[in-house]
Amino acid sequence: MASWVNIPEDSDFSLYNLPYGVFSTSQSSPRVGVAIGDQVLDLKTLSQAGVFNDLGFNTDSLQQATLNEYASQGNAVHRKVRQRLQELLKHDTSLGNVLRDDAQLRGRSLVPIDQVTMHLPMNIGDYTDHFIGLPHAQTSAEFLSPGKTIEQLIPSFWDAPAAYHGRSSTVVVSGTPVHRPKGQTRVDGVTISGLCQKLDFEVEFAAFISTGNEFGTSIPVDEAEDHIFGFVLLNDWSARDFQKNEIASFTSKNFATSISPWIVPLDALEPFRTAPVNGDRKLPDYLVQKMKQSAYDIPVKATLKVDDQSYHIAECNTNNVVFSVAQMIAHHSRGGCALRPGDLLATGTISGPAKEKEGCLMELSYSGTKAYTMSSIEEPSKTIQRTYLEDGDEVIFTAQLDRKDGLGKVGFGSCAGKILPGN
């Protein structure tokens, strides 16, 4: 799918993708845009120019500093806008006079991507992190309760999506540094208070809610995808020493969560569907989904950057989940919990079944008992070892999909965060 906008061969942002984000420049305040090649298209400017006036929705929603109001317009509106943008930007557009051939509007609405600052794309009211990755769950059971299986630790693991409620106030956009947290652990039965000594990352995938449900109602599983705005990569930073000291995740998780800045639309991921693990097992009726290809096959690379070297950590995949996002939504709202535009739902760690596919250092280093060796991407003969993260380490997640049919690549941008010393 060719565009008159320059799209480098290795770009995440093809005309087929068109992910949403919120950006600013030295000359402009935060606003809604979409990424296309090496440019960001300013949707506030296009909306003010009347480009979407005939599509029958509240175009003021594209003139806000977050995507919440636009997301709440619903997926039918999002598809209309997506189709309009693809027509505006394609090489042989029938709407050349609207943008391509209007030098003034084109100059005001296209901004080089290397000149923008990215912000959190949505105002996140609530954040729920799930625990539905099978290999990670199996390893975590041994970490949390040695000798127990995941079924013994969580008897309902195969019957309902397990989750905990995270801290939305500490969800940050990619590139935001993370300070080493302070908290409590126990050594030989004695409480120790201080800086985290076992700081970890977790490779995750997450969905933003578009339209919610009324308090006291639930969302049927076969309608749940209509409530998904799009997807991001997510790093659930974790303090493993604090986690061992807590009944449920609290200070071990609430200090920071990083997300990639661009929200990839549901429709852009349609070609990459797959079934959840053991998806044909018997489930409670409200979780039985007609759509069998309800998960995604998305490889996610984790990289460690130290000084001027980048080291390959692992390659995980979103296909290692035992529930779909639709099933997560159906279960979350089952008791009448109201979901709202901008709510964030994460999968939990999406480790694979082999060492090179594990999505956190807890797994890679055998709970810190054996240093994990990584090779430099630039100089393969150079290696580095980690049991847990050190100050100055930067962890970066990326994912890029190729349709292989000429329509271009689909990516999320990077989800990155650098560890700074504790305050």
Side-chain angles (χ1 to χ4, degrees):
M1 189 180 289
S3 172
W4 51 265
V5 177
N6 179 51
I7 302 179
E9 181 64 28
D10 61 349
S11 174
D12 279 351
F13 309 126
S14 66
L15 184 54
Y16 178 75
N17 190 358
L18 297 182
Y20 295 97
V22 170
F23 74 99
S24 64
T25 70
S26 59
Q27 306 296 320
S28 67
S29 58
R31 59 194 55 217
V32 173
V34 295
I36 173 72
D38 58 7
Q39 303 286 311
V40 178
L41 184 63
D42 184 339
L43 297 192
K44 178 177 181 177
T45 296
L46 292 188
S47 175
Q48 291 173 333
V51 170
F52 307 110
N53 284 354
D54 61 323
L55 297 186
F57 74 100
N58 176 16
T59 59
D60 285 348
S61 62
L62 289 173
Q63 300 177 36
Q64 309 304 311
T66 70
L67 279 155
N68 293 62
E69 188 174 342
Y70 174 67
S72 72
Q73 302 292 303
N75 287 6
V77 166
H78 307 154
R79 289 189 176 103
K80 287 181 182 179
V81 172
R82 175 177 165 82
Q83 291 167 1
R84 173 61 52 84
L85 291 172
Q86 287 179 329
E87 180 60 39
L88 282 170
L89 295 168
K90 72 181 185 180
H91 182 73
D92 56 349
T93 176
S94 62
L95 300 175
N97 63 303
V98 176
L99 179 61
R100 184 193 63 190
D101 304 333
D102 185 331
Q104 187 176 19
L105 181 58
R106 188 178 70 243
R108 289 190 291 118
S109 59
L110 281 171
V111 183
I113 202 166
D114 60 3
Q115 295 181 16
V116 307
T117 298
M118 299 304 297
H119 303 271
L120 276 179
M122 302 193 81
N123 179 19
I124 303 168
D126 283 292
Y127 160 49
T128 305
D129 196 12
H130 290 73
F131 189 60
I132 60 171
L134 179 58
H136 177 70
Q138 292 169 328
T139 304
S140 295
E142 179 64 24
F143 169 74
L144 295 170
S145 298
K148 286 191 175 183
T149 66
I150 187 59
E151 292 83 4
Q152 290 171 321
L153 187 65
I154 305 177
S156 62
F157 178 77
W158 290 97
D159 302 316
Y164 75 93
H165 288 283
R167 184 70 185 176
S168 60
S169 65
T170 48
V171 178
V172 296
V173 72
S174 176
T176 305
V178 174
H179 286 275
R180 184 174 295 273
K182 294 178 181 176
Q184 280 191 18
T185 188
R186 294 177 74 81
V187 178
D188 298 327
V190 178
T191 298
I192 303 295
S193 174
L195 288 169
C196 171
Q197 300 301 312
K198 298 181 179 180
L199 186 55
D200 204 354
F201 62 86
E202 290 188 343
V203 180
E204 303 196 19
F205 190 56
F208 273 109
I209 295 298
S210 55
T211 54
N213 58 301
E214 293 294 327
F215 171 67
T217 69
S218 59
I219 299 173
V221 68
D222 289 322
E223 298 175 16
E225 287 195 356
D226 293 335
H227 296 260
I228 299 172
F229 182 51
F231 298 90
V232 293
L233 306 179
L234 182 145
N235 185 346
D236 180 30
W237 302 97
S238 301
R240 299 300 184 194
D241 39 0
F242 304 164
Q243 189 175 19
K244 271 281 195 177
N245 195 42
E246 296 179 337
I247 296 175
S249 295
F250 183 28
T251 64
S252 60
K253 299 278 190 175
N254 72 354
F255 58 95
T257 302
S258 300
I259 62 170
S260 51
W262 297 102
I263 302 177
V264 174
L266 189 72
D267 288 352
L269 296 180
E270 191 66 25
F272 310 104
R273 286 185 178 270
T274 191
V277 177
N278 295 342
D280 58 352
R281 68 187 184 279
K282 182 175 176 57
L283 288 169
D285 289 347
Y286 75 96
L287 291 176
V288 177
Q289 194 172 358
K290 291 178 182 176
M291 167 71 77
K292 301 305 179 187
Q293 301 290 102
S294 56
Y296 297 95
D297 182 4
I298 304 173
V300 182
K301 294 180 180 179
T303 303
L304 176 68
K305 188 174 182 181
V306 181
D307 300 324
D308 61 345
Q309 293 287 319
S310 297
Y311 299 88
H312 175 71
I313 302 174
E315 184 173 296
C316 307
N317 198 299
T318 60
N319 64 10
N320 292 305
V321 296
V322 299
F323 290 98
S324 68
V325 174
Q327 290 169 321
M328 287 160 50
I329 291 171
H331 185 62
H332 203 313
S333 64
R334 174 68 168 172
C337 172
L339 300 180
R340 297 173 293 187
D343 282 358
L344 185 64
L345 277 62
T347 57
T349 309
I350 51 173
S351 299
K355 178 58 63 178
E356 66 274 12
K357 299 178 183 296
E358 292 176 339
C360 64
L361 284 170
M362 181 193 75
E363 294 176 83
L364 293 165
S365 71
Y366 300 94
S367 297
T369 62
K370 183 179 179 181
Y372 179 65
T373 302
M374 296 161 274
S375 296
S376 169
I377 296 170
E378 296 88 358
E379 301 177 57
S381 62
K382 182 176 288 189
T383 61
I384 196 170
Q385 290 187 325
R386 288 288 185 272
T387 49
Y388 288 105
L389 295 171
E390 299 181 3
D391 291 350
D393 287 353
E394 183 176 10
V395 179
I396 304 167
F397 302 160
T398 56
Q400 189 179 83
L401 302 157
D402 194 342
R403 285 201 49 155
K404 301 186 185 303
D405 57 4
L407 292 182
K409 295 179 172 65
V410 175
F412 300 76
S414 66
C415 176
K418 186 174 183 177
I419 302 302
L420 300 183
N423 288 320

